[in-house]
Amino acid sequence: MKFFIDTAGLAEIKEAAGYGFLDGVTTNPTLLAREKVRDADEHIRQICALTPGPVSAEVTALDASGMAEEGRRLAALAPNVVIKLPLTMPGLAACRILRAAGIAVNATLVFSAVQALLAAKSGAAYVSPFVGRLDENGTDGMRLVEEILGIYRNYGYNTEVIVASIRHPQHVLRAALAGAHICTIPFAVLSKLASHPLTDKGLETFLADWKKNAG
Ligand code: G3P
Protein backbone atom coordinates (compact mmCIF):
# COMPACT_ATOMS: atom_id res chain seq x y z
CA MET A 1 0.00 0.00 0.00
CA LYS A 2 1.29 3.46 -0.86
CA PHE A 3 1.54 6.11 1.85
CA PHE A 4 0.75 9.69 0.90
CA ILE A 5 0.97 12.46 3.46
CA ASP A 6 -2.10 14.67 3.89
CA THR A 7 -0.54 18.05 4.56
CA ALA A 8 0.78 21.22 2.95
CA GLY A 9 3.47 21.57 5.64
CA LEU A 10 6.93 21.48 4.06
CA ALA A 11 8.66 20.42 7.29
CA GLU A 12 6.24 17.49 7.76
CA ILE A 13 6.70 16.41 4.14
CA LYS A 14 10.50 16.51 4.49
CA GLU A 15 10.35 14.52 7.74
CA ALA A 16 8.08 11.84 6.21
CA ALA A 17 10.46 11.61 3.24
CA GLY A 18 13.37 11.20 5.67
CA TYR A 19 11.67 8.16 7.23
CA GLY A 20 11.13 6.71 3.75
CA PHE A 21 7.33 6.95 3.92
CA LEU A 22 6.47 9.40 1.20
CA ASP A 23 4.88 8.02 -1.95
CA GLY A 24 2.96 11.23 -2.59
CA VAL A 25 1.22 14.24 -1.04
CA THR A 26 -2.38 15.44 -0.89
CA THR A 27 -3.26 19.05 -0.18
CA ASN A 28 -6.50 20.99 -0.13
CA PRO A 29 -7.44 24.66 0.40
CA THR A 30 -7.84 24.13 4.17
CA LEU A 31 -4.38 22.55 4.49
CA LEU A 32 -2.79 25.38 2.44
CA ALA A 33 -4.61 28.00 4.55
CA ARG A 34 -3.31 26.29 7.71
CA GLU A 35 0.25 26.96 6.47
CA LYS A 36 -0.70 30.64 5.90
CA VAL A 37 0.44 30.25 2.30
CA ARG A 38 0.42 33.50 0.33
CA ASP A 39 1.65 32.21 -3.03
CA ALA A 40 -0.12 28.87 -3.39
CA ASP A 41 1.44 28.11 -6.79
CA GLU A 42 4.97 28.56 -5.46
CA HIS A 43 4.09 26.44 -2.42
CA ILE A 44 2.81 23.61 -4.63
CA ARG A 45 6.02 23.85 -6.68
CA GLN A 46 8.07 23.50 -3.48
CA ILE A 47 6.06 20.44 -2.39
CA CYS A 48 6.52 18.86 -5.83
CA ALA A 49 10.28 19.31 -5.55
CA LEU A 50 10.27 17.23 -2.33
CA THR A 51 8.81 14.09 -3.90
CA PRO A 52 8.69 12.47 -7.33
CA GLY A 53 5.29 11.04 -6.30
CA PRO A 54 1.92 12.54 -7.17
CA VAL A 55 1.00 15.81 -5.41
CA SER A 56 -2.71 16.64 -5.36
CA ALA A 57 -3.59 20.33 -5.74
CA GLU A 58 -7.25 21.29 -5.51
CA VAL A 59 -9.18 23.72 -7.68
CA THR A 60 -11.46 26.35 -6.15
CA ALA A 61 -13.64 27.08 -9.20
CA LEU A 62 -17.12 25.54 -9.11
CA ASP A 63 -18.06 25.38 -12.80
CA ALA A 64 -16.65 22.81 -15.23
CA SER A 65 -14.79 25.19 -17.54
CA GLY A 66 -13.40 27.17 -14.59
CA MET A 67 -12.22 23.93 -12.94
CA ALA A 68 -10.66 22.70 -16.19
CA GLU A 69 -8.86 26.02 -16.72
CA GLU A 70 -7.59 26.10 -13.12
CA GLY A 71 -6.60 22.44 -13.43
CA ARG A 72 -4.54 23.10 -16.56
CA ARG A 73 -2.79 26.00 -14.82
CA LEU A 74 -1.99 23.92 -11.71
CA ALA A 75 -0.83 20.96 -13.80
CA ALA A 76 1.71 23.22 -15.51
CA LEU A 77 3.40 23.95 -12.14
CA ALA A 78 5.24 20.59 -12.03
CA PRO A 79 5.08 17.23 -13.84
CA ASN A 80 3.83 15.39 -10.73
CA VAL A 81 0.81 17.60 -10.00
CA VAL A 82 -2.54 15.78 -9.84
CA ILE A 83 -5.68 17.88 -9.99
CA LYS A 84 -8.14 17.45 -7.14
CA LEU A 85 -11.72 18.05 -8.24
CA PRO A 86 -14.81 17.89 -6.03
CA LEU A 87 -17.23 15.06 -6.80
CA THR A 88 -19.95 17.20 -8.37
CA MET A 89 -21.45 17.00 -11.87
CA PRO A 90 -19.30 19.97 -13.02
CA GLY A 91 -16.30 18.30 -11.34
CA LEU A 92 -16.94 15.11 -13.34
CA ALA A 93 -17.25 17.09 -16.57
CA ALA A 94 -13.95 18.84 -15.79
CA CYS A 95 -12.43 15.43 -15.04
CA ARG A 96 -13.23 14.25 -18.58
CA ILE A 97 -11.77 17.45 -20.07
CA LEU A 98 -8.54 17.16 -18.06
CA ARG A 99 -8.24 13.45 -18.74
CA ALA A 100 -8.49 14.11 -22.47
CA ALA A 101 -5.62 16.58 -22.03
CA GLY A 102 -3.53 13.87 -20.30
CA ILE A 103 -3.88 15.43 -16.82
CA ALA A 104 -4.48 13.09 -13.86
CA VAL A 105 -7.44 13.82 -11.56
CA ASN A 106 -8.12 12.94 -7.93
CA ALA A 107 -11.90 13.01 -7.31
CA THR A 108 -12.29 14.32 -3.78
CA LEU A 109 -15.04 14.79 -1.19
CA VAL A 110 -16.38 11.31 -1.96
CA PHE A 111 -18.92 9.98 0.52
CA SER A 112 -20.78 7.26 -1.43
CA ALA A 113 -19.83 4.28 -3.57
CA VAL A 114 -22.00 5.54 -6.42
CA GLN A 115 -20.02 8.80 -6.42
CA ALA A 116 -16.86 6.69 -6.69
CA LEU A 117 -18.39 4.75 -9.61
CA LEU A 118 -19.01 8.06 -11.42
CA ALA A 119 -15.41 9.12 -10.76
CA ALA A 120 -14.09 5.91 -12.35
CA LYS A 121 -16.45 6.24 -15.32
CA SER A 122 -15.20 9.81 -15.81
CA GLY A 123 -11.59 8.64 -15.96
CA ALA A 124 -10.33 9.82 -12.57
CA ALA A 125 -6.89 8.40 -11.79
CA TYR A 126 -7.68 8.52 -8.06
CA VAL A 127 -10.76 8.65 -5.87
CA SER A 128 -10.69 9.94 -2.28
CA PRO A 129 -13.35 8.62 0.12
CA PHE A 130 -13.29 10.63 3.39
CA VAL A 131 -13.54 7.93 6.05
CA GLY A 132 -13.05 10.02 9.20
CA ARG A 133 -15.76 12.50 8.32
CA LEU A 134 -18.18 9.61 7.65
CA ASP A 135 -17.33 7.98 10.99
CA GLU A 136 -17.98 11.31 12.72
CA ASN A 137 -21.33 11.41 10.96
CA GLY A 138 -22.39 8.02 12.33
CA THR A 139 -21.48 5.86 9.28
CA ASP A 140 -18.70 3.28 8.95
CA GLY A 141 -16.28 5.08 6.62
CA MET A 142 -14.18 2.00 5.97
CA ARG A 143 -17.26 0.09 4.79
CA LEU A 144 -17.43 2.64 1.97
CA VAL A 145 -13.83 1.85 1.00
CA GLU A 146 -14.68 -1.85 0.84
CA GLU A 147 -17.71 -1.14 -1.37
CA ILE A 148 -15.68 1.02 -3.76
CA LEU A 149 -12.93 -1.59 -4.07
CA GLY A 150 -15.60 -4.25 -4.76
CA ILE A 151 -17.23 -2.17 -7.51
CA TYR A 152 -13.88 -1.35 -9.13
CA ARG A 153 -12.97 -5.06 -9.08
CA ASN A 154 -16.32 -6.01 -10.65
CA TYR A 155 -15.70 -3.80 -13.67
CA GLY A 156 -11.91 -3.72 -13.86
CA TYR A 157 -11.59 0.03 -13.26
CA ASN A 158 -8.00 1.07 -12.61
CA THR A 159 -8.88 4.19 -10.61
CA GLU A 160 -6.82 4.00 -7.41
CA VAL A 161 -8.53 4.42 -4.04
CA ILE A 162 -6.92 6.97 -1.72
CA VAL A 163 -8.32 6.47 1.77
CA ALA A 164 -8.55 10.04 3.07
CA SER A 165 -9.67 11.88 6.21
CA ILE A 166 -7.73 9.37 8.28
CA ARG A 167 -8.02 9.87 12.04
CA HIS A 168 -6.07 6.98 13.60
CA PRO A 169 -3.92 3.89 12.88
CA GLN A 170 -7.02 1.62 12.78
CA HIS A 171 -8.07 3.39 9.58
CA VAL A 172 -4.69 2.51 8.05
CA LEU A 173 -5.02 -1.10 9.24
CA ARG A 174 -8.51 -1.52 7.80
CA ALA A 175 -7.46 0.16 4.54
CA ALA A 176 -4.60 -2.33 4.20
CA LEU A 177 -6.84 -5.31 5.03
CA ALA A 178 -9.37 -4.13 2.45
CA GLY A 179 -6.63 -3.81 -0.19
CA ALA A 180 -6.91 -0.03 -0.72
CA HIS A 181 -4.18 1.26 -3.01
CA ILE A 182 -3.21 4.32 -0.96
CA CYS A 183 -3.72 5.93 2.44
CA THR A 184 -3.20 9.66 2.72
CA ILE A 185 -2.15 10.10 6.31
CA PRO A 186 -1.85 13.23 8.45
CA PHE A 187 1.63 13.55 10.00
CA ALA A 188 0.27 13.05 13.54
CA VAL A 189 -1.19 9.65 12.58
CA LEU A 190 1.92 8.66 10.60
CA SER A 191 3.98 9.22 13.73
CA LYS A 192 1.68 6.89 15.72
CA LEU A 193 1.98 3.97 13.28
CA ALA A 194 5.31 2.75 14.62
CA SER A 195 4.54 3.17 18.29
CA HIS A 196 3.39 0.48 20.71
CA PRO A 197 3.69 0.62 24.52
CA LEU A 198 5.12 -2.91 24.61
CA THR A 199 7.83 -1.88 22.13
CA ASP A 200 8.81 1.00 24.45
CA LYS A 201 8.65 -1.21 27.55
CA GLY A 202 10.65 -3.98 25.88
CA LEU A 203 13.32 -1.55 24.71
CA GLU A 204 13.59 -0.05 28.20
CA THR A 205 14.07 -3.54 29.69
CA PHE A 206 16.67 -4.56 27.11
CA LEU A 207 18.71 -1.41 27.75
CA ALA A 208 18.42 -1.70 31.54
CA ASP A 209 19.53 -5.37 31.45
CA TRP A 210 22.46 -4.53 29.18
CA LYS A 211 23.52 -1.71 31.51
CA LYS A 212 23.42 -4.08 34.52
CA ASN A 213 25.55 -6.58 32.58
CA ALA A 214 28.07 -3.87 31.64
CA GLY A 215 28.22 -2.58 35.26
O1 G3P B 1 -7.16 15.24 1.79
C1 G3P B 1 -8.18 15.76 2.53
C2 G3P B 1 -8.86 14.83 3.47
O2 G3P B 1 -7.99 13.89 3.95
C3 G3P B 1 -9.61 15.61 4.51
O3 G3P B 1 -9.36 15.24 5.80
O4 G3P B 1 -9.15 15.71 8.18
O5 G3P B 1 -10.22 17.42 6.72
O6 G3P B 1 -11.41 15.30 7.21
P1 G3P B 1 -10.10 15.95 7.04
Side-chain angles (χ1 to χ4, degrees):
M1 185 170 64
K2 285 175 269 188
F3 278 12
F4 289 1
I5 185 164
D6 197 24
T7 184
L10 299 175
E12 290 183 342
I13 295 166
K14 280 182 200 155
E15 196 169 339
Y19 294 132
F21 294 117
L22 185 67
D23 298 314
V25 178
T26 51
T27 70
N28 61 38
T30 301
L31 294 172
L32 285 164
R34 201 173 283 164
E35 298 304 311
K36 303 198 186 321
V37 166
R38 291 274 162 256
D39 184 345
D41 288 4
E42 177 50 28
H43 199 83
I44 295 292
R45 267 193 216 100
Q46 287 179 24
I47 293 174
C48 288
L50 295 175
T51 175
V55 173
S56 289
E58 190 159 341
V59 301
T60 52
L62 293 175
D63 63 300
S65 61
M67 284 190 224
E69 190 186 325
E70 203 178 339
R72 278 196 208 92
R73 187 181 58 71
L74 290 168
L77 295 175
N80 51 338
V81 168
V82 168
I83 304 306
K84 234 181 180 185
L85 298 175
L87 199 301
T88 58
M89 278 301 184
L92 293 167
C95 180
R96 283 183 189 277
I97 297 169
L98 292 176
R99 195 202 169 188
I103 296 169
V105 166
N106 174 358
T108 190
L109 288 166
V110 169
F111 294 97
S112 83
V114 175
Q115 287 181 315
L117 174 59
L118 294 182
K121 282 180 72 64
S122 305
Y126 304 97
V127 66
S128 293
F130 278 25
V131 297
R133 292 194 196 184
L134 277 171
D135 288 356
E136 287 155 6
N137 212 44
T139 317
D140 180 6
M142 290 309 306
R143 180 70 200 125
L144 170 62
V145 172
E146 290 158 9
E147 287 174 0
I148 296 171
L149 288 167
I151 290 170
Y152 286 5
R153 262 194 307 273
N154 287 347
Y155 296 100
Y157 289 121
N158 54 17
T159 303
E160 292 192 59
V161 177
I162 304 179
V163 180
S165 185
I166 282 183
R167 297 281 183 264
H168 44 67
Q170 281 293 316
H171 279 146
V172 180
L173 171 64
R174 283 192 62 192
L177 289 171
H181 307 85
I182 302 154
C183 274
T184 189
I185 310 173
F187 189 81
V189 177
L190 185 67
S191 312
K192 284 186 192 157
L193 294 182
S195 72
H196 194 286
L198 290 179
T199 306
D200 296 342
K201 194 163 172 261
L203 183 59
E204 205 178 298
T205 309
F206 285 156
L207 294 179
D209 289 345
W210 182 243
K211 217 169 166 184
K212 270 185 246 156
N213 175 62

